[in-house]
Amino acid sequence: MRNLPVLALALALPLLAQVGNLQLSKNSVEFSAPAAGSLPQSQIVGVTSTGAALPVSTSTRYFTAAEGWITTELSSGVTPSNLTITVNSSNLPVGVHTGQVLVVASASQSAWVTVSLTVTGGPTGSVLTASPNALAMTSNDGQPVQNTLVITSTNAVPFQTYTSTDSGGSWLSVSVVSATSPTTVTVTANPANLTPGVYSGMVSLVPTVSGTGLTVPVTFTISSSGSMGFAVSPGTVNFSYQSNGPTPGGQSVYVTNNSSIVTYSATANASWIKLTTNLIGNPAQTVTGSSNSYLNLYVDPTDLSTGNYSNTVTVTASTGAVQTINVLLSVNSTGALTASPTSLTFQYQPDFGVPASQQLTISASGLPVNFTASANSAGWLLVGPQSGNTSTAPNLSVSVMPVSLPNGSYTGTISVTTGSTTLSIPVTLHVGTSSGSAITPSPQSLTFHAPYNGPSTTQNVFLSSATTKSFFATVSTASGSWLQVSPTGGFSPATLSVTVNPQAVPGTGTYSGSVLINNLSDNTQVSIPVTMILSGAPLAATPQALSFTMPAGATTGATQIVQLSGTSGAPFTATSNSAWLTVSPANAALPYGLSVQAASASLTPGNYTGAVTITSSGVITVVNVALTVTAATVPTLSPTILNFGYVTGGSVPGAQTIAVNSTSSTALPFTTSVRSGSTGTSWLAVTASSLVTPASLSVAVQPGGLAPGTYRGVVVVTATGSGETRTAEVVLTVTAPTAPTLSTALHGATRKLSAITPGMLLSLRGAGLGPVQGVNGSISSAGAYETSYGTYRVYFDGVAAPLLYISDTRIDTAVPYAMAGRRSARVEVENAGVRSNPMDLILSPDAAPGIYTQDGSGVGQASVLNQNGSLNSLTNPAAAGSVISFFATGEGQTEPAGQDGRVIATDLRRPVLPVAVNIGGSAAEVIYAGSAPGLISGLMQVNVRIPADAPRGGAVALELRVGPAPSRAGVTIAIQ
């Protein structure tokens, strides 16, 4: 509510007597039924419209393989109507089936109801669990890494496994495609073809009969293979800046070195790029830091003209290794609309049903922009909603209705308009049959050569066909579950990932299998032979070498995991050859994650070597271990004093940061604690990003309940092992709140001093009225603006008023309707029980109307919507005889009586006094004058017809009268 004209135009309110808006009582329905059991009860969705009745019809689409299980019935062909949705679970397989019912009112108005049917069966109460429930995997040497998931359940549950990745392609795989719990699943992350960085993915386990599945998130970190593993991630950062807008925030890259901590120097190669390390110090062009920490990048684009800029930051390690960060900056003019994607294409095959809708995201440089959207075609193209905002509602749903179209290609556009600017997004629809050709794989056979017990390996197969085909892919093997394919279904053309797992078979040799492609369009099948040839010994350890670095005298050992693989179930033994090196367990069965621990409690500084020997079935493998013991280090803190200020009853101050480092390049483990004086209240808290240097401490204060005064506390950092401590002082100053100061009260539309009326929107000005950073008021569950924000309130003769917007210098509010009949009202602002100076305002005995204008000044071009919903302006004038809408406040009491802060839905209210409008000296027909749906009570929408004899061309005077009171002179509209 900071800018009421902008808000009113963002809603693009339809003319109440002209157009109806399609509305559904719900957007989704869910059904559940047992396999071969009774059918679920039908569900009803209400179909209504605001304003005029609309003709409606429905169509159904399906998003899963089974079709025909949804039926619909409308109680009437026009709104209001009830849509009855019925599902038939007979003959459906166990699982979740989804579809969508499209309700169409016109070419530009439609809505969707998503339908979900869950068919259950098999044993009940089965819940799959995995240990661990998340995986963090790291590759320092470019080799694949593996972890094991232990899968359990309350009952035996058959399930299938699926993998997905957010980026980087098919680097994640599992040892089994299908299995029954309890069991183990080996997860492999393969860094081949991946650049250094951090990747994320997930392993999903889905029951094939019934039960609750699970998803295990996987994080995969790949270190650089360059000198000493020195790397930066990401290697490219993007900034965007709008002219005269706020400077973009900083971005961070992580500087790593996988073998030891090294120092580095970073230099920005352009004056508009600035740097800091670990959020410490002022941004500069050259900074120094230590690896395994963040380097922060900033841009200063204020002196740059519109355009695209690129330059680099050079990061040089003390070892001589060099990395480059690409910095891209886009400087844009304010207000340009863009769409993502820039075009849309739909493919319709009658055998497969109506294609799913697609999403458009509308954005603009600069401040948020309101826009309207429409579809331009011969009736087959739909878009919804018809209005939005690039910040709060940027997404549009685009769908097609191609059922009655002959074969061929069709083009249409989605038009997105803001003010006088229109953005067109082309849409192409291809309509054709789905029969007449087979699916052809390339290559037609696959051969894998791999070491026994090695990592999973993937090859791709491309499926092509003359026309789009629906397919289902399965695998078959002579023995074992070593072969998998992904995805298991879809439409050609498509690329399949075929993966073999050498760890899923008992030994070396040649294994045969096949991938079967089932063409669902014509019930044909093609087979792709797959051969896996394995060689090598049935025992492997990953990694083959370990490296530890620890300070002398450390009381806590460091642990790393060696993943053992080989013949499943085969016993193994593990031993170490050094007193400082221990291994656990000493014996178990393959596969297993072996725990190897190094301890420096009894060692002096120096370099030590040891070995872990693993033996299984007569096969021996050795893991070499290197330990570097460094001199004991002590922690360093920066800064060593923090100051916090808090006003009683106000917002709690934000946390501050302390950087924790060590006196050498060796990582130092530490613990933290706080001391907060003798107040009897623990007002000081600290949270560490890591308990190993380099790290940062987030220091927060909790001053609630403290009396005004100065409080002192201490943050203590203690080095693990040596017991060395360092402290940072924390000073908290608590003060009593100061009284707000009122200086003036302005009419919400005219921005002038004025008599007030009940319900009028009013802008109070002064100092200390609210938070420094302005915020919009919130709406309660009852549908009205709240009368308080934190400790702040506004009173009119002791009656709390709704808060629309509040900041340090301004409060937008509404005069309570309880002021009706009074001659004056005393307004006061309160903060934490302390009130401002009072201000006495005169109440008008009638009304004090004011019209909102586009620039918020109260004069000039009014905020007017033309009959087509577009914004009226000199370049987009209204036609004589057409109907326009504008907005005003100060109409006084309403019928029914107004409610303070109420957001109007369908409970429209009209002013008690008569409303008249004069345009260019001629009386205009008032079609509607009353509350505006979706906006606060006290904001009036007026719909009028422009007189046929009104002056044309240029700015024409617009006057509003409520009872005897006229609006402010100087407000205009444009008439063509």
Side-chain angles (χ1 to χ4, degrees):
M1 291 298 291
R2 295 184 62 179
N3 192 327
L4 286 171
V6 171
L7 178 58
L9 294 175
L11 294 173
L13 295 173
L15 303 181
L16 297 180
Q18 302 293 316
V19 178
N21 277 339
L22 182 65
Q23 297 179 345
L24 301 182
S25 63
K26 61 180 72 175
N27 299 112
S28 63
V29 291
E30 297 180 354
F31 297 87
S32 179
S38 58
L39 301 183
Q41 185 175 357
S42 301
Q43 297 191 44
I44 295 176
V45 177
V47 183
T48 58
S49 60
T50 59
L54 297 175
V56 289
S57 60
T58 65
S59 64
T60 303
R61 65 182 72 171
Y62 297 90
F63 298 145
T64 46
E67 298 185 0
W69 49 271
I70 302 175
T71 57
T72 62
E73 181 180 357
L74 284 168
S75 62
S76 172
V78 296
T79 58
S81 180
N82 286 330
L83 169 62
T84 300
I85 300 177
T86 305
V87 297
N88 185 353
S89 57
S90 302
N91 302 319
L92 288 181
V94 170
V96 178
H97 307 267
T98 57
Q100 199 173 70
V101 176
L102 178 66
V103 181
V104 181
S106 65
S108 61
Q109 290 204 60
S110 60
W112 297 265
V113 181
T114 300
V115 182
S116 173
L117 169 59
T118 301
V119 180
T120 61
T124 60
S126 299
V127 178
L128 288 175
T129 59
S131 180
N133 57 15
L135 296 176
M137 310 172 77
T138 301
S139 176
N140 295 323
D141 55 4
Q143 296 300 312
V145 293
Q146 294 179 327
N147 271 341
T148 300
L149 293 175
V150 178
I151 309 302
T152 58
S153 60
T154 52
N155 296 306
V157 177
F159 64 89
Q160 289 187 315
T161 57
Y162 302 89
T163 61
S164 62
T165 59
D166 293 339
S167 60
S170 302
W171 53 264
L172 183 63
S173 61
V174 292
S175 59
V176 295
V177 176
S178 60
T180 299
S181 63
T183 187
T184 59
V185 175
T186 301
V187 180
T188 301
N190 189 345
N193 302 320
L194 296 181
T195 58
V198 179
Y199 299 82
S200 59
M202 63 178 61
V203 176
S204 298
L205 283 67
V206 180
T208 55
V209 179
S210 70
T212 302
L214 60 86
T215 298
V216 179
V218 181
T219 302
F220 187 28
T221 303
I222 301 177
S223 299
S224 170
S225 58
S227 175
M228 298 297 288
F230 186 69
V232 294
S233 179
T236 300
V237 293
N238 289 274
F239 293 89
S240 180
Y241 171 70
Q242 287 78 43
S243 299
N244 300 318
T247 301
Q251 298 188 47
S252 298
V253 299
Y254 197 68
V255 183
T256 59
N257 194 70
N258 62 21
S259 60
S260 63
I261 302 295
V262 298
T263 59
Y264 68 84
S265 173
T267 300
N269 299 314
S271 60
W272 50 268
I273 305 174
K274 305 295 182 183
L275 309 170
T276 66
T277 57
N278 288 331
L279 303 176
I280 298 174
N282 295 321
Q285 281 195 268
T286 299
V287 297
T288 59
S290 299
S291 64
N292 299 349
S293 64
Y294 285 100
L295 172 66
N296 309 287
L297 283 71
Y298 307 85
V299 294
D300 181 10
T302 52
D303 294 330
L304 301 179
S305 57
T306 301
N308 295 317
Y309 298 82
S310 64
N311 217 299
T312 59
V313 173
T314 302
V315 185
T316 305
S318 56
T319 60
V322 178
Q323 293 287 316
T324 300
I325 306 168
N326 298 308
V327 183
L328 307 179
L329 169 63
S330 174
V331 180
N332 305 307
S333 59
T334 301
L337 280 179
T338 57
S340 178
T342 56
S343 64
L344 297 174
T345 301
F346 291 86
Q347 178 76 41
Y348 171 58
Q349 303 289 345
D351 291 354
F352 306 138
V354 176
S357 60
Q358 299 185 43
Q359 179 174 289
L360 274 177
T361 299
I362 308 301
S363 58
S365 58
L367 297 175
V369 173
N370 304 311
F371 61 83
T372 58
S374 60
N376 307 308
S377 70
W380 54 265
L381 182 60
L382 308 174
V383 64
Q386 279 76 53
S387 63
N389 180 278
T390 55
S391 175
T392 59
N395 297 324
L396 299 174
S397 180
V398 181
S399 59
V400 295
M401 291 295 294
V403 176
S404 60
L405 297 177
N407 291 349
S409 296
Y410 302 83
T411 58
T413 57
I414 301 298
S415 296
V416 180
T417 302
T418 177
S420 59
T421 302
T422 298
L423 174 69
S424 295
I425 299 94
V427 182
T428 303
L429 169 64
H430 299 293
V431 179
T433 61
S434 61
S435 60
S437 66
I439 296 177
T440 302
S442 178
Q444 297 184 358
S445 64
L446 298 173
T447 300
F448 294 82
H449 292 271
Y452 173 73
N453 245 343
S456 297
T457 305
T458 300
Q459 296 185 38
N460 291 332
V461 174
F462 183 74
L463 303 182
S464 60
S465 58
T467 59
T468 300
K469 295 294 179 183
S470 173
F471 70 87
F472 179 67
T474 60
V475 297
S476 174
T477 61
S479 62
S481 300
W482 53 269
L483 179 63
Q484 70 180 67
V485 63
S486 176
T488 57
F491 297 91
S492 62
T495 298
L496 299 183
S497 295
V498 180
T499 301
V500 298
N501 180 14
Q503 299 178 24
V505 294
T508 60
T510 299
Y511 297 84
S512 298
S514 61
V515 176
L516 303 177
I517 309 300
N518 300 278
N519 187 337
L520 302 180
S521 301
D522 55 15
N523 294 320
T524 60
Q525 187 180 81
V526 61
S527 177
I528 305 170
V530 180
T531 302
M532 179 176 68
I533 302 173
L534 302 183
S535 59
L539 178 63
T542 305
Q544 286 284 341
L546 299 177
S547 177
F548 294 87
T549 300
M550 304 177 64
T555 57
T556 303
T559 301
Q560 296 188 45
I561 301 298
V562 174
Q563 190 65 45
L564 303 181
S565 57
T567 303
S568 179
F572 71 87
T573 59
T575 59
S576 72
N577 65 351
S578 301
W580 55 266
L581 183 62
T582 57
V583 60
S584 177
N587 53 74
L590 297 174
Y592 204 90
L594 193 64
S595 177
V596 179
Q597 185 179 79
S600 62
S602 60
L603 301 179
T604 59
N607 296 317
Y608 300 82
T609 59
V612 174
T613 301
I614 302 102
T615 304
S616 177
S617 303
V619 179
I620 298 175
T621 187
V622 176
V623 176
N624 294 310
V625 182
L627 170 62
T628 300
V629 179
T630 62
T633 57
V634 296
T636 62
L637 307 183
S638 177
T640 57
I641 184 169
L642 298 178
N643 289 283
F644 292 87
Y646 171 68
V647 178
T648 300
S651 299
V652 174
Q656 298 186 45
T657 301
I658 296 175
V660 184
N661 291 289
S662 59
T663 54
S664 73
S665 60
T666 302
L668 173 66
F670 63 89
T671 59
T672 64
S673 60
V674 297
R675 298 195 299 267
S676 54
S678 58
T679 62
T681 301
S682 179
W683 55 267
L684 181 60
V686 63
T687 303
S689 64
S690 169
L691 291 178
V692 178
T693 61
S696 61
L697 305 181
S698 177
V699 181
V701 294
Q702 301 159 347
L706 295 180
T710 299
Y711 300 85
R712 298 181 183 274
V714 175
V715 174
V716 182
V717 175
T718 304
T720 302
S722 67
E724 292 280 347
T725 63
R726 293 293 183 268
T727 61
E729 183 182 11
V730 180
V731 180
L732 169 63
T733 303
V734 180
T735 58
T738 58
T741 302
L742 272 176
S743 59
T744 190
L746 303 179
H747 191 292
T750 67
R751 290 297 191 262
K752 292 290 185 181
L753 289 171
S754 154
I756 64 174
T757 66
M760 174 191 284
L761 304 190
L762 201 64
S763 184
L764 306 177
R765 303 299 173 89
L769 303 181
V772 174
Q773 184 69 37
V775 295
N776 291 324
S778 59
I779 299 175
S780 69
S781 59
Y785 278 88
E786 300 281 6
T787 58
S788 64
Y789 174 80
T791 58
Y792 294 94
R793 289 172 175 78
V794 173
Y795 292 99
F796 286 77
D797 283 354
V799 177
L803 300 181
L804 286 65
Y805 171 79
I806 181 169
S807 71
D808 179 56
T809 59
R810 170 182 159 194
I811 293 178
D812 290 346
T813 184
V815 178
Y817 283 97
M819 299 301 104
R822 305 188 188 192
R823 294 184 178 182
S824 66
R826 173 164 291 187
V827 60
E828 297 171 292
V829 177
E830 180 184 275
N831 176 24
V834 180
R835 293 201 179 186
S836 68
N837 57 297
M839 180 178 293
D840 291 323
L841 304 178
I842 302 301
L843 270 92
S844 169
D846 300 307
I851 300 173
Y852 284 99
T853 58
Q854 287 188 17
D855 62 4
S857 67
V859 294
Q861 173 67 51
S863 294
V864 175
L865 296 176
N866 292 331
Q867 184 164 324
N868 62 1
S870 62
L871 182 63
N872 180 271
S873 67
L874 290 175
T875 59
N876 187 35
S882 66
V883 178
I884 62 169
S885 295
F886 65 90
F887 303 89
T889 190
E891 73 271 26
Q893 186 58 274
T894 61
E895 177 62 38
Q899 293 178 282
D900 295 344
R902 174 67 178 272
V903 177
I904 299 298
T906 58
D907 51 338
L908 304 181
R909 288 161 164 74
R910 298 174 182 266
V912 173
L913 296 172
V915 175
V917 176
N918 190 297
I919 298 178
S922 299
E925 176 192 357
V926 178
I927 298 173
Y928 171 81
S931 49
L935 298 180
I936 188 173
S937 179
L939 182 73
M940 181 172 67
Q941 176 180 334
V942 183
N943 299 345
V944 299
R945 189 179 303 280
I946 299 176
D949 59 349
R952 303 187 182 188
V956 179
L958 173 66
E959 181 188 62
L960 168 69
R961 282 184 177 270
V962 180
S967 61
R968 182 183 177 186
V971 179
T972 63
I973 66 169
I975 304 176
Q976 65 182 7

